[in-house]
Amino acid sequence: MTILLTHGDREYLRDPGEELQTDLGVLTVPEDVEPGDTLFTHLDEEFTVRRLRGPDLFHHFERTGAPMLPRDIGLVVGETGVSAGDRVLDAGTGTGVLAGYLGRIGADVVTFERKADFAEVARENIEMADVADRVDVRTGDITEEVDELGEFDVLTLDTPDAAEVVAHTPELLADGGSLGVYAPFVESARDVEMAAREANLDNIRTMETIQREMDFDDRGTRPTTTGVGHTGYLTFARNV
Amino acid sequence: MTILLTHGDREYLRDPGEELQTDLGVLTVPEDVEPGDTLFTHLDEEFTVRRLRGPDLFHHFERTGAPMLPRDIGLVVGETGVSAGDRVLDAGTGTGVLAGYLGRIGADVVTFERKADFAEVARENIEMADVADRVDVRTGDITEEVDELGEFDVLTLDTPDAAEVVAHTPELLADGGSLGVYAPFVESARDVEMAAREANLDNIRTMETIQREMDFDDRGTRPTTTGVGHTGYLTFARNV
Amino acid sequence: MTILLTHGDREYLRDPGEELQTDLGVLTVPEDVEPGDTLFTHLDEEFTVRRLRGPDLFHHFERTGAPMLPRDIGLVVGETGVSAGDRVLDAGTGTGVLAGYLGRIGADVVTFERKADFAEVARENIEMADVADRVDVRTGDITEEVDELGEFDVLTLDTPDAAEVVAHTPELLADGGSLGVYAPFVESARDVEMAAREANLDNIRTMETIQREMDFDDRGTRPTTTGVGHTGYLTFARNV
Amino acid sequence: MTILLTHGDREYLRDPGEELQTDLGVLTVPEDVEPGDTLFTHLDEEFTVRRLRGPDLFHHFERTGAPMLPRDIGLVVGETGVSAGDRVLDAGTGTGVLAGYLGRIGADVVTFERKADFAEVARENIEMADVADRVDVRTGDITEEVDELGEFDVLTLDTPDAAEVVAHTPELLADGGSLGVYAPFVESARDVEMAAREANLDNIRTMETIQREMDFDDRGTRPTTTGVGHTGYLTFARNV
């Protein structure tokens, strides 16, 4: 289990047994380290041991592209209702933040990444998130294996060819199972929605999410003037 | 475990051993019923057995007020990173949809509801969601018990006096733990943000979320002209 | 000049010399009626004379389709900077609200409407707005007359084939002149933007506008929960 | 009349009779210069003469603070229906962009600016916009002169004490006249709305406007990821 060593604003990722060398001195993480422990360097500087939480995955995972934001991961979880014990099929692993979150929720995840080097990074990230036993990162193209994958409770997609996979949703999802697709462009979102209609899924809807941070200061309250940008469209549907 | 009996668009909630009487005939749910089973009424009409998923909780829970939407629940999960095994303290149980979702994610939830009759309904809902072993619905006022509750990984609040509870966040949250507060009004959101600043929490931000459903038809694509309304402000922070 | 006769919440449109018959009695509008006058029915009920203002056009014009909202008209005026004395070319007259507003601003407007019956209604509306001397409603297809129209300060379009007209912008607009196009769908907005780029226009941008009404009540402040829908995309550019 | 001298992307403001000296050479603007004229420097470089349009005011006015955006000016024009010949009372002149736009629309504007130096800059800006005969910039506090100002068709406010002025709307506005108030913060917008209710105005509403620029590229279409920020709240009402 990778842990965070924190000192003020500083955060370092280390596994048990590893060493931390900084200007604050050197320390070795004990094999039996526990979140909440306090460790000291040879210069007697104090570090606190913290367990990685979801948002830490987003910040500390090695990136192979723009990872899905915690907000969009949350919307996928909320709308599909992923729960512990669910079987989830995911494609477009990328950095692996969505798969890591789903594993931490207790779901059993099979996730496909086409690029072997990206898949390798994702595997290391998943290891760091301590959910390697729940998240199986497979190198390959999900569209080529659709027939042998079996049945899942939830299908999550973040790939350019998502619409093609959506066409197979009825075979891939258990009765009552949910689909969640992330698409960056209007055109790809439209293709996904149309594929979902074609596949006779139920409760199909494509949402756009605009978030704005509020600015509270002494003069008053308003949304931040800088704005919060678009991330992507999310299409949801159920197999009922 | 409560299951859904479905026939076309119809859905009925039943526990094992219970009877379903409709114009399609009568059937008794076997004690060993499993999701995916097919049952027949005495008129030979077919019903499919389905497990309740997150969105089903939202639709089938008995309501004691406006429940938090799956979208907002998802945002809370995504931004706080709730995971299986987390200890969550929740106040403002209401209908219990948030607590039910968190229980399904594998978290151990203590949730406070001031009104005894609301708490009783919430307990029945939690039972229906099959997470009574993980979700402890307590009747009472969280502000009166703050000192004896211990330490949690996540604190979620949806109560008018949330700002008062936020002041106690440093005692209630473990190092690295997350706070998520739902506030319907600008003024209450401001109070919460100010309380979080006063409590020296980190990474404090209050978000407003606007969602719009896309309308894809033969003429073209556009956001729906009907609009999607405001639900509430969400304030997040961490105890680091 | 058509005027409004108001009594409490009631409003009636009448021209000088016309009669008003309601349950409050009968009155004849004097030929020399002026805004601010008070008139009495034969039952001695009082009516106030009011001049029509912009928003009244929106409410009292006879409609031949969904008229452009005051908000979108305003955005066109603000971004193109239409001013008194400007020569404006408009296509897709429809109900004539945009043309009526522009005439009231003092611009000289030539507006094209393909359907003869719609054009006739628009002419009556423009008459009612008292700007018939400034707004020339022509029945016909602007694309067929592009070569003989001369040069304008502003070009405003709200037609399905707007992109085709945009291609002629450099011939139609004076140096420094502005284009404003309303398109209901993403696809048509994209076509317009692409045509503007192809025509080498400057400062091209397509905006989407989301408006929300604020709800101020005793409990607090928030955006209305009902939402304010999408109207259309607005593309602006200049010929510089 | 100030005109723009343009050469490629360069723009220079000059009055008739003034000289332009750049690395492209020297030229003197003829007293009888007209928009559309071509002028040459002593090095035979060509400049085109252009009339200032609304958006040019926004870019070329000397600023004494953040001027109101063309979009918000447009919304004020659209919702209040300002037209040529209208009498407009404005407070919070600032840079004078709103007053300049209204003058260009043909309205007769009296605008109040508390700070003498700001008022002086606004006067120069209004001169440049060629509407000094229509826009009277007064140095002073509108609240102190409310009783002697007479009656207007439209009242526009962008001042911290707008709510106080709104209380006088019934005396300041003609029957059917419109109020438009710009407020940067929720709290000030609430005060304005409450003052409008207190004053028994009609059709009161406070709007928040979110605009997003669309991003059309080869891969597809989406709102820009950078976001477009909040500007202010706009409250509208009528005196009917």
Side-chain angles (χ1 to χ4, degrees), chain A residues 186-187 208 212 221 225 229 233, chain D residues 186-187 208 212 221 223 225 229:
Chain A
V186 167
E187 291 84 355
E208 192 195 357
R212 301 194 302 166
T221 305
T225 50
Y233 298 91
Chain D
V186 167
E187 290 84 356
E208 192 196 358
R212 301 196 300 166
T221 304
T225 51

Side-chain angles (χ1 to χ4, degrees), chain A residues 184-187 208 210 212 219-227 229-230 233, chain D residues 184-187 208 210 212 219-227 229-230 233:
Chain A
F185 298 106
V186 167
E187 291 84 355
E208 192 195 357
I210 302 164
R212 301 194 302 166
R219 297 168 302 160
T221 305
R222 58 178 168 181
T224 48
T225 50
T226 48
H230 173 79
Y233 298 91
Chain D
F185 298 108
V186 167
E187 290 84 356
E208 192 196 358
I210 302 164
R212 301 196 300 166
R219 296 167 303 160
T221 304
R222 58 178 170 181
T224 48
T225 51
T226 49
H230 173 77
Y233 298 90

Side-chain angles (χ1 to χ4, degrees), chain B residues 159-189:
Chain B
T159 63
D161 61 355
E164 201 181 325
V165 183
V166 168
H168 296 280
T169 309
E171 305 132 57
L172 291 169
L173 280 185
D175 179 43
S178 284
L179 168 73
V181 185
Y182 177 94
F185 298 107
V186 167
E187 290 85 355
S188 44

Side-chain angles (χ1 to χ4, degrees), chain B residues 23-46:
Chain B
D23 57 309
L24 298 173
V26 179
L27 69 77
T28 301
V29 181
E31 290 291 346
D32 60 350
V33 67
E34 289 288 340
D37 286 358
T38 301
L39 304 178
F40 293 88
T41 68
H42 80 289
L43 298 178
D44 219 36
E45 293 284 353
E46 187 179 316

Side-chain angles (χ1 to χ4, degrees), chain B residues 186-187 208 212 221 223 225 229, chain C residues 186-187 208 212 221 223 225 229 233:
Chain B
V186 167
E187 290 85 355
E208 192 195 359
R212 302 195 300 164
T221 304
T225 51
Chain C
V186 167
E187 290 85 354
E208 191 193 359
R212 302 193 302 165
T221 304
T225 50
Y233 298 90

Side-chain angles (χ1 to χ4, degrees), chain B residues 184-187 208-210 212 214-217 219-231 233, chain C residues 184-187 208-210 212 214-217 219-231 233:
Chain B
F185 298 107
V186 167
E187 290 85 355
E208 192 195 359
T209 306
I210 303 164
R212 302 195 300 164
M214 299 301 290
D215 190 6
F216 300 104
D217 71 18
R219 296 168 303 161
T221 304
R222 58 178 170 182
T224 48
T225 51
T226 48
V228 170
H230 172 78
T231 56
Y233 299 90
Chain C
F185 298 106
V186 167
E187 290 85 354
E208 191 193 359
T209 306
I210 302 164
R212 302 193 302 165
M214 299 301 290
D215 190 6
F216 300 104
D217 70 19
R219 296 168 301 161
T221 304
R222 58 178 169 183
T224 48
T225 50
T226 48
V228 170
H230 172 78
T231 57
Y233 298 90

Side-chain angles (χ1 to χ4, degrees), chain C residues 43-62:
Chain C
L43 299 178
D44 220 35
E45 293 285 353
E46 187 179 315
F47 277 84
T48 305
V49 177
R50 192 197 299 161
R51 193 156 61 85
L52 271 79
R53 299 192 48 77
D56 298 315
L57 309 189
F58 182 76
H59 292 295
H60 289 288
F61 269 15
E62 185 181 339

Side-chain angles (χ1 to χ4, degrees), chain C:
Chain C
M1 181 187 62
T2 306
I3 48 94
L4 278 172
L5 297 172
T6 70
H7 177 101
D9 280 351
R10 302 189 192 186
E11 295 185 359
Y12 302 94
L13 285 169
R14 284 296 181 280
D15 286 322
E18 288 189 336
E19 198 177 71
L20 174 72
Q21 293 194 23
T22 73
D23 58 309
L24 298 171
V26 179
L27 70 76
T28 302
V29 181
E31 290 291 346
D32 60 351
V33 68
E34 289 288 338
D37 287 357
T38 302
L39 305 178
F40 292 89
T41 68
H42 80 290
L43 299 178
D44 220 35
E45 293 285 353
E46 187 179 315
F47 277 84
T48 305
V49 177
R50 192 197 299 161
R51 193 156 61 85
L52 271 79
R53 299 192 48 77
D56 298 315
L57 309 189
F58 182 76
H59 292 295
H60 289 288
F61 269 15
E62 185 181 339
R63 300 190 176 190
T64 53
M68 201 182 285
L69 291 183
R71 133 190 158 180
D72 291 314
I73 293 171
L75 290 169
V76 168
V77 170
E79 298 287 348
T80 64
V82 178
S83 68
D86 271 2
R87 300 155 298 169
V88 180
L89 178 62
D90 176 57
T93 315
T95 297
V97 185
L98 174 59
Y101 257 80
L102 296 177
R104 285 170 44 85
I105 279 173
D108 292 305
V109 183
V110 175
T111 177
F112 281 84
E113 170 56 49
R114 258 203 214 91
K115 298 187 186 167
D117 49 341
F118 282 25
E120 197 45 44
V121 172
R123 265 177 219 116
E124 282 159 28
N125 285 336
I126 291 298
E127 189 79 40
M128 181 201 299
D130 205 24
V131 289
D133 55 333
R134 295 206 165 281
V135 181
D136 176 10
V137 182
R138 298 193 191 166
T139 308
D141 188 335
I142 191 176
T143 56
E144 290 168 13
E145 318 211 12
V146 153
D147 298 337
E148 295 119 60
L149 287 166
E151 201 175 78
F152 296 84
D153 297 301
V154 173
L155 171 59
T156 55
L157 301 170
D158 178 10
T159 61
D161 61 354
E164 200 181 326
V165 184
V166 168
H168 295 279
T169 308
E171 304 133 57
L172 291 169
L173 280 185
D175 179 43
S178 284
L179 167 73
V181 185
Y182 177 95
F185 298 106
V186 167
E187 290 85 354
S188 44
R190 185 178 171 105
D191 289 346
V192 166
E193 168 120 358
M194 291 309 177
R197 291 183 192 176
E198 189 72 26
N200 277 316
L201 298 181
D202 205 69
N203 198 15
I204 305 167
R205 67 248 183 236
T206 297
M207 311 300 295
E208 191 193 359
T209 306
I210 302 164
Q211 272 198 329
R212 302 193 302 165
E213 194 170 337
M214 299 301 290
D215 190 6
F216 300 104
D217 70 19
D218 290 347
R219 296 168 301 161
T221 304
R222 58 178 169 183
T224 48
T225 50
T226 48
V228 170
H230 172 78
T231 57
Y233 298 90
L234 290 168
T235 302
F236 298 106
R238 287 189 79 178
N239 185 35
V240 295

